[in-house]
Structures are given as C-alpha cells and as structure tokens.
Amino acid sequence: MADADPQIRNQASQAAPAAEAPAPALDAPAAKRGGMRKKLLGGIGALVLIGGVGYGAWYTLVGSHFIGTDNAYVGADTAAITPMLAAQVAEVAVSDTQAVRKGDVLVRLDDSDAKIAVAQAEADLARAQRQYGQTSATSAALAAQVQAREADITRARAQLTSAQADYERARVDLERRRRLAPNGAVSGEELSSATNAFATAQANLQLARAAIAQATSTRGAASGELAANNALIRGTTTATAPEVLAAQAKLAQARLDLQRTTIRAPMDGVITRRNVAVGQRVAPGTQLMLIVPVGQLYVDANFKEVQLTNVKVGQPVTLTSDLYGGDVEYHGRVVGLSGGTGSSFALIPAQNATGNWIKVVQRLPVRVALDPKELQAHPLRVGLSMDAEIDITAKN
C-alpha cells in the first residue's frame, strides 16, 4: 500500500496537468476581446477628445462671433385706409390679396354732397369779393359826403354872417326909432315895424348859428363813417381782404373734401382685411382695409437677454425663412433694439412681486431691416417665421 500510494500519486500528478491543459485555449478569445474593447473605448475617447477640442476651437474662432435665434417674425408698417368724411360708398375698386401701386384708386364715395358744398363755397367767395368792392365804393361815396358837409358848413357860415348883419341893422334901426318915438317923430306903426324886423333878424341869426352846428355835426358823422369804412379796407386788396380769404379757405376745404371722396393708395403694397362694400355708409376714421408694403418688410428677432451684450446697431444679419428653407438667405442689418421686453408690454404683465416668482430668461426684440432687392426676388409676408443670426464682431 505504501508502494501503491506513490504510484497513485504519480498517476494523479500526471493526470492533473492533462486536465488543466485546455484552459489556456479557452482564455485566449476572452483576452483578445478585452484588448479590442480597450482599443474601441480608447478610440471613442480619442474621438470625443478630438471633437471637444475641435468644437472648442470652432467656438473660439467662429461660433462665439455669432448669436442666433429662431424666434423671429416678419413685420411691416401697414397703412390703415380710412375715409376723411362721412358718405356712402359708390365703388370699391380692389379686393383682398390684390397688389396696388401708390396712387391707385381704392374706394370712391358718393360726391353729391361734396359738389354742393363746393358750389356754395364758390358763391360765398363771389359774395365776399362783391362786398369788398361795395365797401371800396362806399369809401368814395363817404368821402364825397364829407366834402358836401364841408360845403354846407361854408354856406351856413355865410348865412350866419348875413344874419348877423341883418341883426345889427335891425337893432340899430330899432334903437333910433325908440329914441325918436317920445318926440313924436316916429309913429307907433314904424316903431312896431322896427321891433318886428329886429325880432326877425334875431331869429334868423339863431337859425344861422344852428345851421352851422348841424352842418358841423353832419360832417363829423360822415367823417366817422368814412374812417370806419377805410379801416375795413386799409392795406388790403380784393385778394387779401380777410372776408375774401376766409371764403377762399372754405372753398379750398370744400374742394379738398370733394377730392377725398376718391380714396387712393398711399403706398405700394398688397390689400388685406378689406371690410367695405358698395352702398355702405362710412364715417370718418372707419377702417376700410389695410395695405401691407411687402417691399418694405422688416424682421423682429427676439433674442435672449444674455445674448445681447455685444449687439450694436448696424451689425449684419443673415436670415432664412421657413417659407423657402435654408437655400434662400436674406441679408439685413440691425436698425434698433426695442425699449422693453415682450413681457413688459404684454396686455397682462407678469407680477414678479408675488410669492411664487420664478426667474425666466427674458427676450428683447431686435429690429432687422431687410434688403429690398432680396425681398423682390423672394417675397415674404407679415408674420412668417425666420431664423436670424447676427455677426456681433462686425463694426457698424
């Protein structure tokens, strides 16, 4: 047994290596796969590192020079077409989506009342001109009256002189007869006649003095009327008289109202929101339609507040529209930044003083002017979405 045990141990020791010999053959694929995995992970890491370095270099050299947003929309300064006077619509010459040129007829209003107003204003002007002519002629007549009153005064003075002479003569004659009457040299009849003659001369003298006073007063009245009439026309002509100018202004207003019965396009554009029909009576200020100037559009790009540090007026902007896609680019320039964020001008502004306040990054509209030639080649419409990118390194 003692000899058997070594033998058994020898057999067992020989058998053991035979049993363990296949193990290296089984570990070789696993080791190979582990090496490949390490190489793959290393390659991916290298690619990520290269990508990170490349992105960092690109952002430093190129990406940091631009800011962009897709929160941008086409806008325009539309023209609201409204009548200037109340009238009935006689004709509507345009329809929605129709392109019009500046000066094209849009709407015609009934001009019957306006024509009557023009005729009335013309009559008022003619009347004012005639009245001015009459006033001028009245001045000449009043001047003649003043001269006539001067002649009356001269005649009254002559009559006064004659009356004074008759009075003195009658007085002297009466006194002489009174002295002779006691001696009987003068009869009572002669004394009575002398007394009556003196009384008559005295009355004639008073009448002559009254006539002078009356002639002087009449001349003063005529002179006052002449002065007042001259004040109305002094320094003026038929063309510059205030009454004539007022009548001319009314006539000009009436003619302007007549012209306003034909409503014309104030600019080139496209008709939209037409809400007027023939036979409708419109009032001043009633919106009849809108004109969108499609050749003068702009873009309001809403950038985040953290993007606006280096944005300046005049910087170039590259834009694309969802309508045409990325194949069509528009080029514009920054023309201004809004005076407030969109939320600050909202109908119901946010109340940040409440207890449940949460900070939200605000956006500020940036106005971008577009190239008219590019708009003509690829027309846009108000409200379309745009992507905008500003070169913040460019100098304006």
Side-chain angles (χ1 to χ4, degrees):
M1 293 298 293
D3 295 336
D5 291 336
Q7 185 177 1
I8 292 173
R9 286 197 297 271
N10 291 336
Q11 291 177 354
S13 61
Q14 292 175 357
E20 294 176 358
L26 293 173
D27 292 338
K32 186 176 180 180
R33 287 196 299 272
M36 292 179 62
R37 186 180 298 108
K38 289 181 180 179
K39 290 181 181 180
L40 180 60
L41 292 176
I44 293 175
L47 289 175
V48 171
L49 179 61
I50 293 173
V53 172
Y55 175 79
W58 172 86
Y59 181 80
T60 301
L61 298 176
V62 179
S64 60
H65 297 173
F66 298 88
I67 60 170
T69 183
D70 58 358
N71 189 350
Y73 304 94
V74 179
D77 295 327
T78 59
I81 306 303
T82 60
M84 298 293 289
L85 65 160
Q88 188 176 21
V89 177
E91 178 186 357
V92 180
V94 294
S95 58
D96 273 336
T97 73
Q98 180 176 339
V100 295
R101 305 286 293 179
K102 181 178 180 180
D104 288 350
V105 175
L106 304 178
V107 178
R108 284 191 172 91
L109 305 178
D110 184 11
D111 59 0
S112 301
D113 293 339
K115 289 180 178 179
I116 293 174
V118 169
Q120 181 64 47
E122 290 175 344
D124 292 342
L125 176 59
R127 184 183 301 109
Q129 292 172 338
R130 180 177 298 176
Q131 287 177 349
Y132 181 84
Q134 291 175 348
T135 303
S136 299
T138 301
S139 290
L142 290 175
Q145 289 182 9
V146 171
Q147 292 179 355
R149 300 294 81 80
E150 290 286 351
D152 291 343
I153 292 174
T154 301
R155 182 171 58 254
R157 286 174 179 172
Q159 291 176 351
L160 176 60
T161 302
S162 175
Q164 285 177 340
D166 292 341
Y167 173 78
E168 290 296 330
R169 184 169 54 255
R171 183 182 62 82
V172 171
D173 188 52
L174 177 60
E175 289 179 354
R176 185 173 58 249
R177 282 175 170 72
R178 282 178 178 176
R179 287 196 302 268
L180 296 175
N183 299 328
V186 176
S187 62
E189 184 179 355
E190 290 180 355
L191 182 60
S192 297
S193 298
T195 301
N196 293 335
F198 174 75
T200 301
Q202 189 176 24
N204 289 337
L205 178 60
Q206 292 177 353
L207 289 175
R209 288 173 178 172
I212 291 178
Q214 183 179 4
T216 302
S217 177
T218 304
R219 182 191 63 180
S223 298
E225 292 179 2
L226 176 61
N229 204 76
N230 286 338
L232 295 176
I233 62 174
R234 184 179 296 112
T236 61
T237 63
T238 304
T240 60
E243 296 80 2
V244 175
L245 293 177
Q248 288 176 342
K250 291 182 179 179
L251 177 58
Q253 181 65 54
R255 288 174 175 170
L256 181 60
D257 290 342
L258 180 59
Q259 291 179 358
R260 286 172 174 170
T261 57
T262 300
I263 302 176
R264 300 180 181 274
M267 62 176 69
D268 298 348
V270 174
I271 301 298
T272 185
R273 294 179 62 182
R274 197 204 80 171
N275 53 3
V276 61
V278 174
Q280 177 182 349
R281 184 168 182 82
V282 296
T286 303
Q287 182 173 303
L288 306 181
M289 64 190 71
L290 293 176
I291 295 182
V292 179
V294 293
Q296 302 175 9
L297 301 177
Y298 54 79
V299 171
D300 282 332
N302 302 298
F303 285 92
K304 296 178 181 179
E305 53 188 317
V306 296
Q307 296 177 295
L308 300 173
T309 304
N310 298 314
V311 174
K312 301 291 187 299
V313 174
Q315 291 175 339
V317 185
T318 303
L319 306 102
T320 57
S321 170
D322 292 354
L323 177 63
Y324 299 106
D327 294 335
V328 176
E329 285 190 349
Y330 297 87
H331 301 86
R333 288 194 172 274
V334 175
V335 295
L337 284 75
S338 176
T341 63
S343 61
S344 63
F345 294 113
L347 184 61
I348 304 178
Q351 295 296 324
N352 294 332
T354 58
N356 59 351
W357 172 77
I358 298 176
K359 182 175 180 179
V360 177
V361 177
Q362 300 297 313
R363 289 180 179 268
L364 188 73
V366 176
R367 179 65 57 86
V368 178
L370 300 176
D371 186 350
K373 294 181 180 179
E374 294 179 346
L375 283 175
Q376 186 176 5
H378 298 89
L380 295 172
R381 292 296 184 267
V382 174
L384 293 180
S385 300
M386 303 286 287
D387 290 339
E389 186 178 66
I390 303 176
D391 183 357
I392 59 177
T393 63
K395 296 182 179 180
N396 52 4

